[in-house]
Structure formats: C-alpha cells, structure tokens
Amino acid sequence: MTADQENPTVWPDFMGALEPEASESPVTAAAPTDIAVLKPSSDLPASVAAWSGDWSGWAGQGRSYDVKLIVESLSLNEATIVCVRASDDQGVFSERVLAQVRGNELRGRLTTGASLQFRMRNPDVVELLWRELDGRWIAGVLSRPSVEEQRISERVPTEMFERGEQIMLEMVTFKPAGPGPFPTLVFNHGSTGIGNDPALFTSTVTSPAMAKYFNDRGWMVVFPQRRGRGKSGGLYDEGFEPDRSQYSDDPQYALPGFEHALLDVACVVEHLLTRPDVDRERLLIGGHSRGGFLALAFAGARPKLFLGVLNFVGGWVDEQGPASEMINLVIARRGATFPGPTAWLYAENDPFYSVAHSRKNFHAFEAAGGQGQFHVLEILSGQDGHHIVSLAGLWAPVVDGFLGRIGNRRSQAE
C-alpha cells in the first residue's frame, strides 16, 4: 500500500461549496462497453455499499471536464472502479483501477501515476480530487445520474455576413417542463481569460447551475454564443491586439470589440422576440464577466424590454491594464439608462476584477442614474471569486430577492 493511500487526504476548504451539476465539456465521458456492476454483498456496511454503481459530474476550472465514476465491485477494503474523464482539449481518458476503501473515501492510482481521491459527502454526492505527478490537480463533484433539463442547441440566423456567408449564432436553451410561453433569461458568456488560447474559443459555454435554478422556477434560460465562440460562425473579434495574441486594453481596440459583441446580443434577442415559447413581457438579461457588462449595456440600449439585469462579476478588460478604469467605467455607464433593478454580484479573490475596482464601476453607474444593488458574496478560502456563477447555493438568496423585486415591479406596472 502506498503512503498516499494510507495517510489522510488533505481536501481543499472550498470542496463543500462545490455543487453537483452537468459539466461544460462538449466532449462526453462515455463509459467503456465492458462495464459490469455487481450487486454489493449483503454483509457489507451500508456506508461501503453506497458506493456501488454510476456517478457523473464535472471537474476543473469552469467545469471543463466531464467525469464519470463507475464502482463495479466492492469488498470491505477494496473497490474495482472505472474512471472516465473527457474534455475538449484532451479528449477521453478511461481506466479501470483497484481502489482502496478508507472510511468515506475511495483512493486509487492510475498507470500514469496520477492519484484519485473520491469522498462521499452524502449518499447522493461524491467529491473528487485528481492529482497529477507534476503537481497539477483538479477538483470536482459527482452525483447519481438524474433526468436533465430539456437542453436544446440550435443555430440563430442573422443578417450578418462574412466572406459572402451568412453568420449563424449558436444558442443553447434550457427549457422547463410545459408548453410555454416561458419567462426567459438571456445569459451571456464571458471571455477566455486573457484571450491567448484560441483552442478555448470554440468551447460552448453555458451554466447548468443557472439553468437549473431558473428552470426550477418556471423560467427558460438561453445561452447565446457570440461570433467565433462555441459553434457560432464568424470571426471572434472582441478587442484583440493587432496580432491577435491576446485581448487588448487599448480603448481603440477594446471598445470597438465591445460594440462587436453587443451586435451579437441584439441578433439573438431579436430572434427570441419572434418565438412563441418566449413571454416577451417577462424577460431578464444577465451574464458573467464580459457577459455581465454586455447585459447592462444592452438593457440600457433597450430600456423598456427587460424587467431586470443580473451582472455576475462583470467587466470588460482586466483591471491590471493601464486603461482598464476608463474602459470599464465607460461601459458601466452605458447601462444607467435602464430604469429597472440590477443586481451586481462579486466576490474577493477574483483575478480580473477586485471588489474595489468593481465598486468604482458600480458607483459610476449609479452616478449616471442607474438603479441597482452591489453584493459581495462570501466565498471559502481558496475559491476563485471570478467563477461564483457555478455556486448556486452562494448566490441563490440574492437572486431570490431580486426576483421578488421583479415581481413587485411587474405587479405595480399592471
């Protein structure tokens, strides 16, 4: 037995805040065809027998890995498991491992030398740590497979053309049960870090946590992918350096890039207004990072269209850039003409936008006439404050209150 299988696992403090949900990987972690799950022996403790069967979920920053765990057989101290991991950049990896049962954990080692630790949070949720030999590691959460929301991927036609071809924009829709029309949230994705990895451009970005929260409350949620992102056509051109090596914080590039993205939002919204399953009287717009500022600005441009705006850690350029304050302040003020409520949700430990920087943007928005509330959510030690959108348990109370204000505003209007 190796030392890492015998010694207690050191789990990050933030593990308890991670929620089970679908991954964002466009590649599915398909299990091998020779899976054979054996019924646990009746003399095994319930805590051990609970591991048996299939688990699925996500791992990695941005839930970029799709992960499956299949526990095929169990004894008091050992388990035969199959672990499958899939991502857009690494493809599918699968291996059968003899793991050790230690308390509420399963521990194993792959032939690559990577170690696997699974910890049962409760009979329905399992936490994962996957550590490579070179020190890299990812964390995630798995749960028992369940029926997913109705997820639809489609192409939205636009009046934009490039190189003589009509541009189609990908839109992923999560629909609740029923015929509709549904109150609808348009949720806009962010950037890809500093923009220096083109491989990330073609990953479709949604938020299963956001979709589930709103679907459970009868709302439809749509995630448009802007030009050159996901499976959308056209060039991704949201403010790069002239050599396209990374995003630019020079206003002569960053601000036209913002306008480029805003046009994509307009195309999708106009399409939604023609659909019979959309309740045009109950529309919200929101987004994460760059998408949050796009939502604010678009609501400002169409002040009578939406009931409210949800801005998750919004900004346009990294605050470390020399022109970031000017650029982000200019865009924040664009949303001030929207008369309805806005919720600005931020957290500490955000590598792009500190709370202090974001408060300046909010105060500029308010000074220009905007209405909103600024929230600093309390994350756990080690959590990345820029990705709070995946932590529904963290922001749900704030959004509950926001939806209550939306409902009151609509009642007064009627």
Side-chain angles (χ1 to χ4, degrees):
M1 182 179 298
T2 60
D4 63 327
Q5 290 173 331
E6 183 63 33
N7 295 330
T9 304
V10 178
W11 291 86
D13 292 340
F14 61 75
M15 292 299 299
L18 302 183
E19 297 192 358
E21 54 194 13
S23 77
E24 293 289 0
S25 171
V27 183
T28 301
T33 58
D34 62 345
I35 293 295
V37 176
L38 303 179
K39 184 178 179 180
S41 172
S42 60
D43 60 357
L44 281 179
S47 60
V48 175
W51 284 102
S52 181
D54 297 353
W55 304 84
S56 61
W58 61 272
Q61 189 83 311
R63 303 182 308 282
S64 57
Y65 292 93
D66 193 42
V67 180
K68 283 185 173 59
L69 167 69
I70 303 99
V71 180
E72 293 185 303
S73 64
L74 285 157
S75 69
L76 186 60
N77 298 311
E78 293 183 335
T80 300
I81 67 174
V82 177
C83 189
V84 190
R85 186 179 81 175
S87 67
D88 193 29
D89 60 337
Q90 297 184 17
V92 180
F93 172 90
S94 174
E95 188 170 323
R96 183 173 275 106
V97 177
L98 183 62
Q100 306 299 313
V101 179
R102 294 290 179 268
N104 66 338
E105 296 183 12
L106 293 182
R107 307 178 196 171
R109 186 170 290 278
L110 303 174
T111 55
T112 62
S115 65
L116 300 176
Q117 283 91 25
F118 297 94
R119 178 171 66 174
M120 186 171 289
R121 183 186 298 174
N122 58 54
D124 296 313
V125 178
V126 164
E127 299 165 353
L128 162 66
L129 283 179
W130 185 312
R131 290 188 172 95
E132 303 290 348
L133 280 178
D134 62 5
R136 292 177 299 131
W137 60 277
I138 56 174
V141 179
L142 298 86
S143 61
R144 295 294 188 185
S146 60
V147 178
E148 295 185 9
E149 301 89 348
Q150 186 179 354
R151 184 187 193 277
I152 303 166
S153 181
E154 56 193 298
R155 302 293 182 273
V156 175
T158 74
E159 296 182 358
M160 300 182 292
F161 287 80
E162 286 185 15
R163 298 179 180 178
E165 293 186 3
Q166 184 183 25
I167 294 174
M168 308 286 281
L169 298 179
E170 180 185 17
M171 184 177 74
V172 180
T173 302
F174 289 80
K175 298 181 71 169
F182 303 103
T184 299
L185 166 65
V186 183
F187 200 82
N188 299 283
H189 63 74
S191 64
T192 61
I194 64 173
N196 65 342
D197 187 356
L200 298 176
F201 299 168
T202 56
S203 294
T204 298
V205 179
T206 66
S207 171
M210 187 69 59
K212 177 172 174 49
Y213 173 90
F214 276 92
N215 282 176
D216 287 349
R217 289 157 179 77
W219 286 71
M220 183 164 70
V221 186
V222 299
F223 297 93
Q225 311 296 301
R226 301 189 292 276
R227 271 174 285 179
R229 293 292 301 273
K231 298 176 181 63
S232 292
L235 178 67
Y236 182 40
D237 192 20
E238 295 183 0
F240 286 88
E241 294 289 352
D243 63 359
R244 290 186 62 84
S245 59
Q246 63 180 40
Y247 300 126
S248 175
D249 62 3
D250 185 330
Q252 68 173 318
Y253 303 119
L255 291 176
F258 168 78
E259 300 295 343
H260 183 276
L262 205 60
L263 182 57
D264 295 348
V265 179
C267 289
V268 170
V269 170
E270 290 304 319
H271 166 76
L272 290 172
L273 294 176
T274 69
R275 289 174 50 138
D277 59 348
V278 173
D279 183 345
R280 290 177 288 180
E281 301 300 315
R282 291 189 293 170
L283 293 175
L284 292 177
I285 191 167
H288 169 247
S289 194
R290 283 192 165 189
F293 264 29
L294 282 170
L296 284 166
F298 191 78
R302 301 288 298 273
K304 296 182 180 180
L305 187 57
F306 300 99
L307 294 175
V309 180
L310 288 170
N311 165 28
F312 280 80
V313 298
W316 192 253
V317 295
D318 186 338
E319 70 171 275
Q320 302 304 320
S324 62
E325 284 205 6
M326 186 277 285
I327 294 169
N328 289 336
L329 288 172
V330 164
I331 295 175
R333 293 187 187 102
R334 293 275 293 270
T337 51
F338 175 65
T342 67
W344 296 50
L345 297 93
Y346 291 82
E348 300 288 358
N349 198 34
D350 185 326
F352 299 101
Y353 309 118
S354 68
V355 169
H357 174 85
S358 299
R359 282 191 189 278
K360 287 182 181 178
N361 296 330
F362 178 70
H363 292 325
F365 166 81
E366 280 192 312
Q371 307 296 315
Q373 294 183 359
F374 189 92
H375 303 270
V376 181
L377 304 184
E378 294 293 330
I379 59 175
L380 297 177
S381 174
Q383 282 183 306
D384 183 340
H386 197 65
H387 289 90
I388 56 174
V389 70
S390 66
L391 304 176
L394 193 64
W395 49 255
V398 172
V399 179
D400 286 345
F402 177 79
L403 291 179
R405 293 193 298 277
I406 294 296
N408 292 336
R409 178 174 177 246
R410 187 166 183 265
S411 298
Q412 293 170 2
E414 293 173 348

